Amino acid sequence: MTEPAADDETVAPADDDQAATPAADDDEFEGPRRRARRERAERRAAQQRARAIEEARREAKRRLRGSATPTTARPVPRGAVRGLKMLLWGVLAVAVTVGLGLVLYFTPVMSVRTLDVVGLAAVTDAEVLDAAQVAPGTPLLQVDTDAVADRVATIRRVASARVQRQYPSTLRITIVERVPVAVRDFPDGPHLYDRDGVDFATGPPPPSLPYLDVATPGPTDPATTAALDVLTALRPEVVAQVGQIAAPSVASITLTLVDGRTVIWGTSDRTQKKADTLAALLTQPGEVYDVSSPDLPTVR
């Protein structure tokens, strides 16, 4: 048992010397294949190092450029640009309009140089201009057309008035005169009444104008209104034959024709039906024509 142990101790150093010798030989001697592999590995390492250096250099340049120049702004959407342009044009249009309005309002560029009055018959041009009270040279935009129309309408013979600006320098006044439909005598002379019962003139009446016989003539008097409604409903050829219309009340209206014949009208109901019936009835001979019941008219 003792001898094998000694043998083991003797053999071990010999094995170490033999193992170390090839390693030393490998370090001292390098074959062609190993040298080729080593060179390839060294070239790859050198290439990787060069690439890493180049990449680091490029990254450094990018960082330097990024710190020296501002970041490129994102392009504005096309819709936003269009909206901004429209807004600018709108603001410009408003500014131009306001500026033009101020010029026209405060300067005589477009001022009243001509007053054109339309619709005159019995009313004179001087009456209208005096009532209008518009000074020549007044800027058209400063003229209150409604106020001018109201002043012109205060003329007794004027039923309505309309005032219009006609650029560059004309103010047109269009009037509608009252038309007489009846006349009534007063101590100061005959007074003319239009279809609304307005007493608008004093003077000689036109030929064949019917005489109005009511107690208190006027636009608010029911009897006056009823009598004038009858006159305006009659056909022109019938009105020309009427000499007088009497209305003691709205329920007892009578007509007296110029030839002396009498028409019993009755109430102011069914005025148009009665007017049509009377036009046909007057073609028959008689003295008294009763249309108070237009469905059953009579002639006596």
Side-chain angles (χ1 to χ4, degrees), residues 133 146 163 213 240 245:
Q133 300 177 12
D146 291 336
V163 180
D213 184 8
I245 181 168

Side-chain angles (χ1 to χ4, degrees), residues 219-230:
T220 60
D221 177 50
T224 301
T225 302
L228 296 177
D229 285 344
V230 171

Side-chain angles (χ1 to χ4, degrees), residues 185-262:
D185 288 332
F186 283 88
D188 61 344
H191 285 214
L192 305 181
Y193 290 84
D194 69 356
R195 62 183 302 159
D196 297 322
V198 176
D199 177 3
F200 67 90
T202 302
S208 304
L209 196 66
Y211 182 83
L212 178 63
D213 184 8
V214 295
T216 55
T220 60
D221 177 50
T224 301
T225 302
L228 296 177
D229 285 344
V230 171
L231 288 178
T232 54
L234 295 176
R235 295 182 182 180
E237 65 272 17
V238 176
V239 175
Q241 301 180 53
V242 178
Q244 175 180 303
I245 181 168
S249 69
V250 296
S252 56
I253 301 172
T254 59
L255 306 175
T256 302
L257 305 185
V258 293
D259 59 5
R261 292 181 294 175
T262 302

Side-chain angles (χ1 to χ4, degrees), residues 58-78:
R58 292 177 180 175
E59 182 64 23
K61 289 182 179 180
R62 282 196 296 268
R63 292 179 180 178
L64 182 60
R65 286 195 300 268
S67 61
T69 59
T71 304
T72 304
R74 296 178 60 186
V76 180
R78 183 176 301 176

Side-chain angles (χ1 to χ4, degrees), residues 43 47 58 92 134 137 165 167 186 201 256:
R43 283 196 299 270
Q47 291 174 355
R58 292 177 180 175
L92 181 60
V134 177
R165 301 182 187 91
Y167 298 99
F186 283 88
T256 302

Side-chain angles (χ1 to χ4, degrees), residues 8-296:
D8 292 337
E9 293 177 0
T10 304
V11 172
D15 293 337
D16 292 340
D17 293 340
Q18 291 176 358
T21 301
D25 294 340
D26 290 340
D27 292 339
E28 295 175 358
F29 176 78
E30 182 180 27
R33 292 183 179 179
R34 180 174 294 182
R35 184 168 49 253
R37 287 196 299 269
R38 179 177 57 80
E39 290 176 353
R40 285 197 299 271
E42 289 176 354
R43 283 196 299 270
R44 284 196 297 269
Q47 291 174 355
Q48 292 175 356
R49 178 178 178 82
R51 283 195 297 267
I53 293 172
E54 182 63 24
E55 187 65 28
R57 185 181 296 109
R58 292 177 180 175
E59 182 64 23
K61 289 182 179 180
R62 282 196 296 268
R63 292 179 180 178
L64 182 60
R65 286 195 300 268
S67 61
T69 59
T71 304
T72 304
R74 296 178 60 186
V76 180
R78 183 176 301 176
V81 174
R82 186 181 299 111
L84 182 59
K85 288 182 179 179
M86 293 180 63
L87 177 61
L88 292 176
W89 278 111
V91 172
L92 181 60
V94 171
V96 171
T97 302
V98 172
L100 181 60
L102 292 175
V103 170
L104 296 180
Y105 189 85
F106 290 106
T107 66
V109 174
M110 290 187 180
S111 59
V112 178
R113 296 183 179 87
T114 304
L115 283 167
D116 184 19
V117 183
V118 180
L120 296 177
V123 181
T124 65
D125 189 83
E127 287 181 284
V128 176
L129 297 182
D130 289 343
Q133 300 177 12
V134 177
T138 303
L140 281 174
L141 290 179
Q142 292 187 21
V143 176
D144 187 342
T145 55
D146 291 336
V148 174
D150 291 341
R151 290 195 293 268
V152 173
T154 59
I155 300 174
R156 288 181 64 189
R157 285 184 173 271
V158 174
S160 65
R162 181 185 180 190
V163 180
Q164 299 169 287
R165 301 182 187 91
Q166 292 188 333
Y167 298 99
S169 59
T170 301
L171 192 68
R172 167 167 287 192
I173 303 175
T174 304
I175 67 170
V176 177
E177 294 189 5
R178 298 186 185 277
V179 177
V181 296
V183 60
R184 190 175 191 277
D185 288 332
F186 283 88
D188 61 344
H191 285 214
L192 305 181
Y193 290 84
D194 69 356
R195 62 183 302 159
D196 297 322
V198 176
D199 177 3
F200 67 90
T202 302
S208 304
L209 196 66
Y211 182 83
L212 178 63
D213 184 8
V214 295
T216 55
T220 60
D221 177 50
T224 301
T225 302
L228 296 177
D229 285 344
V230 171
L231 288 178
T232 54
L234 295 176
R235 295 182 182 180
E237 65 272 17
V238 176
V239 175
Q241 301 180 53
V242 178
Q244 175 180 303
I245 181 168
S249 69
V250 296
S252 56
I253 301 172
T254 59
L255 306 175
T256 302
L257 305 185
V258 293
D259 59 5
R261 292 181 294 175
T262 302
V263 177
I264 300 175
W265 193 272
T267 67
S268 58
D269 297 336
R270 305 180 67 185
T271 297
Q272 192 58 56
K273 176 64 175 178
K274 293 178 181 180
D276 295 339
T277 301
L278 179 61
L281 208 61
L282 288 177
T283 60
Q284 303 178 21
E287 295 295 329
V288 179
Y289 300 84
D290 189 344
V291 293
S292 58
S293 177
D295 295 326
L296 298 170

